[in-house]
Amino acid sequence: MKKVLLLVIFCFICFSCDFNKSKKGLCFDIYSFVENKDKWLNSGLENYSFSYSISTYRPEYIIGDVTVKNKACESAEIYINDSDSDRTPVSQDNKFYLNTIEAVFDFIYQEYEDAFKMLESKECQYVEIICEYDDVYGYPVSIRCLCSDGSKVYKKGTAGNREQKYSFSLEFTS
């Protein structure tokens, strides 16, 4: 019995370590991320639609309108809004092509992984990923990525040089 208990504890520690990577200069609440992803996956929602917009350091921004049926993307209109009249479609290989809420969670985790790479390469000295989640279903409501190369003084919530904002709104369908 002791061996089984020790094995369970060891597995839990190993699993926890994988999700708790720590790097000086990286701020991300991985516990909240995992908790809300589990909440979303356990919600049982298979049919929904959502819209999202992404603004980056570039003047244009990306907009997506997605409909999901039976947990699969039924339709997705995703484009770069260059101006009020110009809309350039975004291909599926684009980083910002998100066609399910699961893809949004994957995107957040990829941002987290990319932050490690930016810190290791010294491209940035500080990266902060701030996520807000829906209280009931756990899907991401807003995401902000803040990066600083050290040329500006860092204050929590305003890292300085680069900022990317991602916002999501969900409408449930039956």
Side-chain angles (χ1 to χ4, degrees), residues 6-132:
L6 287 173
L7 181 62
V8 169
I9 292 171
F10 177 75
C11 290
F12 179 76
I13 291 170
C14 290
F15 179 74
S16 296
C17 291
D18 185 48
F19 279 105
N20 293 313
K21 293 180 183 176
S22 180
K23 176 102 176 133
K24 185 178 179 182
L26 176 60
C27 180
F28 177 60
D29 187 350
I30 193 72
Y31 295 109
S32 181
F33 171 82
V34 170
E35 178 184 317
N36 283 287
K37 184 174 181 180
D38 286 344
K39 189 185 292 187
W40 171 257
L41 293 174
N42 293 322
S43 71
L45 293 169
E46 297 182 0
N47 304 316
Y48 56 92
S49 61
F50 69 100
S51 300
Y52 66 94
S53 65
I54 298 174
S55 65
T56 66
Y57 56 89
R58 301 176 299 188
E60 67 273 357
Y61 58 95
I62 294 175
I63 295 176
D65 294 311
V66 179
T67 301
V68 175
K69 298 281 184 192
N70 299 320
K71 294 187 179 183
C73 179
E74 182 178 76
S75 67
E77 183 182 337
I78 301 168
Y79 52 89
I80 297 172
N81 194 20
D82 298 325
S83 68
D84 290 339
S85 59
D86 294 332
R87 291 183 173 185
T88 307
V90 172
S91 66
Q92 289 189 13
D93 61 340
N94 187 295
K95 177 180 179 177
F96 300 114
Y97 189 97
L98 305 171
N99 59 4
T100 62
I101 293 300
E102 289 82 358
V104 175
F105 278 106
D106 292 344
F107 170 76
I108 295 169
Y109 193 77
Q110 187 60 52
E111 288 293 299
Y112 174 61
E113 292 289 316
D114 290 348
F116 274 98
K117 293 174 188 170
M118 289 191 318
L119 291 166
E120 286 176 359
S121 70
K122 301 197 185 314
E123 180 182 340
C124 289
Q125 288 186 355
Y126 186 84
V127 179
E128 184 175 12
I129 303 169
I130 305 164
C131 298
E132 294 178 22

